[in-house]
Amino acid sequence: MHTDTEGCVRAVQSKDARFDGVFFTAVRTTRIYCRPSCPAVPPKPENMEFHPSAAACQRAGYRACKRCRPDSSPGSPEWNVRADAVARAVRLIQDGVVDREGVPGLARRLGWSTRQIERQLLAELGAGPLALARAQRAQTARLLIETTPMPFGEVAFAAGFSSIRTFNDTVRQVFALTPGELRARTVRRAASPPPATPGVISLRLPFRAPLEPSNLFGHLAATAVPGVEEWRDGAYRRTLRLPHGHGIVALAPCADHIVCRLSLTDPRDLLHAISRCRRLLDLDADPVAVDERLRADPLLAPLVDEAPGRRVPGTVDPAEFAVRAVLGQQVSTAAARTHAARLVTAHGTPVEDPEGGLTHLFPDPGALAALDPESLALPRSRRTTLLTLVRALAEGSLPLGPADDREEARARLLALPGFGPWTTEIIAMRALGDPDSFLPGDLGVRRAAEGLGLPGTPAALTARAAHWRPWRSYAVQYLWATDDHPINHLPA
C-alpha cells in the first residue's frame, strides 16, 4: 500500500482511519510521522513520504506525532492474513520473541539465517527485526509511563530495554519528549483521573471500526471454563500463562476501543500479554475489506448489513484451545465446559484473584501428558485422541504458535487419531488465526445455510464459499449468528 503514492495521498486527505497501521505518513518539513487519520491539517503532497511501519519512520529519523499517536495504531491486517515467512516473522516479533531470544532466536524459529531475516524485513517493512522490536519497546514504555506510577527505572527494564540510558534516548528520539515530560502531559490531560488500582495496568486497545461485540464476547463468555475464565461486571476476565509468570486480564468493549486491565506478576510480560489479547479479540482485522467481500454474495449481504464488523474469536494459548477443541467434539457447549473444568481442577496451577472467581491457570501440555486416562470421563476413543494430542504438544512435534506454518499444522493435526476436518479447521481458525478456515460440516453452519438457501451438502457449500475467500472464517461467524445460541449474544 505504501508504494501507491496517489492512493496514500487520497487516504491522508480524507483522514481515512481504515488505513491506520497499514501505512504511515512522514512529513519532510516537520520531521514527524502520523497516522493517515491524523486530525491535523494534511501536509502538501510534495512534503509527504510513506512508510510501511512505524519502525521504518523512526529508522528514517522521524518522530511520532503528539496528536494522533501513530505508534499506538492498530496493527496491519496483512500480517494475520499472509502465511509466508515474513508474516510469521512479524507475528513473532509482535509476540516479543526478539526481546526474549534475540534475532538468532527468531532465526531458529523460522529456519532462516539472521541475514535472510534482515534482508526480507528491510525489503517489506523498511526496518529490520531489531528496529521493529525497538519500536514495540518504545510503545510498551509509553503505556507504562502513561498508565502506571512505576518508577522510570522499572519501566525501562519492564519494556525490554537493556539500560536506563537506552530507554531515555529511545523515548526522546521517538516521541520528542523525555519520560518525565510524557508522564506530565498525561497528568495534565486527565482532569480527574480515576483512582489507580495497585498492580493493575489499564490501557486502551485500538481497533478498526466497525466492531460487532455480540458474537465475539458472547462466544468467550458462553464457552468460559470455570476457574480460568468468567464474565463479570461487563468484562471478560481470564488467567494468562506468560513467559515470566502469570497474569489476569479483564477486557470490556467500548465504542472506539477495548478497555484492557492487566494484573501481571512480572511487568516484563506486558508486551506478550497485549499481543495475546489482540489475537484473542482479532483486533488487527480489516472489517471493511472483510464485509465488502462477503456483502458481494446476495445471500450473505443481509447478515453483514445487520451487524457489520464481526470478528473471529481467537485464543490466548493455542495449545489450550486445541485441548478444548477435542473436549468439545460431538458434545454441547455446557458439556465441553464441564470436561475442561475437571481438567483445570485436577491439573491446573492455582492462582490468586483479588477481584473475583478466577482460581487456576489452564494446565499446560506437560501437566496433561502424564494424566491417567481412566480418570477422564470420556469415551475411550476420545481419551486416546486427547492423550495423543497433549503428548505431541508437550514433545514439540505439533507446533501451534503464531509463526508456525498453517498448512503444515493442518497436516499434522489430521495425522493424529480422532482428528477430522471439523476439529482441524476450528483449531486453524481460532488457534492459528487463519482467516480462511471453513467448517462446511458444522451443524450450525449447515442449519444457517439451509435457512438462507445456500447449498446443503458440504461439497456444494464449499464450492459456493470459494467466492468468500480469503475471509471464510468471518463468513462462519455470520452464519453462526443466525442461530439463537448464547455464543451470539453479549452477556447482560
Side-chain angles (χ1 to χ4, degrees):
M1 174 68 193
H2 73 285
T3 58
D4 179 6
T5 301
E6 291 186 7
C8 290
V9 168
R10 288 196 300 271
V12 171
Q13 291 176 338
S14 62
K15 303 184 186 300
D16 195 332
R18 291 179 300 170
F19 296 100
D20 287 354
V22 176
F23 71 88
F24 296 81
T25 308
V27 185
R28 298 188 182 100
T29 51
T30 61
R31 303 306 295 174
I32 66 171
Y33 72 96
C34 302
R35 303 175 185 232
S37 65
C38 182
V41 176
K44 295 179 180 179
E46 59 266 27
N47 292 331
M48 301 181 199
E49 62 182 58
F50 304 103
H51 295 270
S53 66
C57 295
Q58 295 169 17
R59 183 171 178 268
Y62 293 93
R63 66 181 188 274
C65 174
K66 296 174 184 176
R67 292 190 65 182
C68 68
R69 299 178 55 158
D71 52 297
S72 60
S73 61
S76 173
E78 180 179 7
W79 309 120
N80 290 332
V81 175
R82 287 171 48 176
D84 58 35
V86 170
R88 290 157 54 202
V90 171
R91 292 198 292 269
L92 278 174
I93 294 170
Q94 291 172 342
D95 214 36
V97 165
V98 170
D99 290 331
R100 296 192 302 274
E101 304 174 22
V103 178
L106 176 66
R108 283 194 301 273
R109 290 187 179 229
L110 293 170
W112 280 11
S113 70
T114 56
R115 292 185 63 183
Q116 282 178 304
I117 293 173
E118 186 80 24
R119 185 171 61 250
Q120 292 291 334
L121 291 179
L122 277 171
E124 294 216 31
L125 289 111
L130 288 176
L132 292 167
R134 176 181 180 266
Q136 287 204 146
R137 285 195 295 272
Q139 169 59 8
T140 303
R142 184 175 195 163
L143 282 173
L144 291 171
I145 290 168
E146 295 183 340
T147 64
T148 75
M150 288 173 62
F152 293 141
E154 294 181 19
V155 169
F157 295 112
F161 290 96
S162 58
S163 70
I164 296 175
R165 180 177 179 178
T166 304
F167 159 72
N168 287 327
D169 290 346
T170 299
V171 171
R172 276 196 296 267
Q173 290 169 10
V174 173
F175 305 116
L177 294 168
T178 66
E181 289 168 339
L182 264 180
R183 183 163 283 173
R185 281 168 57 91
T186 304
V187 172
R188 286 197 301 269
R189 284 199 304 265
S192 56
T197 303
V200 174
I201 301 169
S202 298
L203 54 139
R204 296 182 173 193
L205 302 182
F207 56 76
R208 294 177 183 82
L211 182 144
E212 171 55 49
S214 59
N215 74 298
L216 182 59
F217 285 90
H219 205 120
L220 296 175
T223 60
V225 177
V228 175
E229 305 165 286
E230 68 173 359
W231 180 265
R232 178 184 288 252
D233 299 329
Y236 166 76
R237 303 178 71 245
R238 72 154 293 147
T239 59
L240 301 171
R241 187 185 299 277
L242 299 166
H244 300 100
H246 70 266
I248 293 175
V249 65
L251 299 162
C254 289
D256 60 353
H257 65 275
I258 300 294
V259 175
C260 176
R261 297 176 71 249
L262 279 164
S263 175
L264 304 173
T265 55
D266 191 321
R268 290 179 296 173
D269 286 324
L270 177 62
L271 175 61
H272 194 77
I274 292 172
S275 175
R276 289 191 180 193
C277 291
R278 294 194 67 82
R279 287 203 302 271
L280 173 71
L281 302 181
D282 195 19
L283 296 185
D284 291 329
D286 183 350
V288 174
V290 172
D291 289 351
E292 282 181 354
R293 184 67 171 175
L294 300 183
R295 194 179 281 114
D297 189 317
L299 296 182
L300 286 186
L303 303 181
V304 177
D305 292 337
E306 182 181 355
R310 292 193 185 276
R311 300 300 208 269
V312 178
T315 182
V316 297
D317 187 337
E320 173 191 317
F321 183 81
V323 170
R324 293 171 61 172
V326 170
L327 295 176
Q329 287 178 334
Q330 300 178 344
V331 298
S332 67
T333 300
R337 293 179 64 199
T338 299
H339 289 313
R342 289 172 180 163
L343 284 184
V344 167
T345 301
H347 304 282
T349 303
V351 298
E352 292 186 5
D353 175 17
E355 296 186 28
L358 302 181
T359 59
H360 289 80
L361 299 174
F362 196 88
D364 63 19
L368 295 175
L371 61 79
D372 179 6
E374 298 302 321
S375 66
L376 300 173
L378 297 170
R380 187 170 301 277
S381 61
R382 194 80 44 80
R383 296 178 197 173
T384 301
T385 299
L386 180 63
L387 290 174
T388 305
L389 169 67
V390 296
R391 287 167 184 162
L393 291 169
E395 293 166 359
S397 61
L398 179 62
L400 295 178
D404 293 308
D405 185 276
R406 292 164 179 167
E407 292 309 313
E408 181 180 347
R410 277 183 169 94
R412 294 192 180 195
L413 287 168
L414 285 170
L416 298 177
F419 272 78
W422 184 90
T423 309
T424 299
E425 287 303 311
I426 199 70
I427 292 174
M429 178 190 294
R430 296 193 55 193
L432 297 173
D434 190 343
D436 199 38
S437 295
F438 193 52
L439 307 171
D442 179 81
L443 181 59
V445 169
R446 292 171 62 186
R447 284 177 177 171
E450 182 180 354
L452 293 172
L454 290 164
T457 65
L461 185 57
T462 299
R464 174 62 178 269
H467 300 291
W468 307 338
R469 305 190 76 167
W471 310 117
R472 292 182 299 175
S473 294
Y474 296 87
V476 170
Q477 306 306 312
Y478 282 106
L479 293 172
W480 274 343
T482 61
D483 190 14
D484 191 30
H485 192 282
I487 65 169
N488 295 316
H489 302 290
L490 194 67

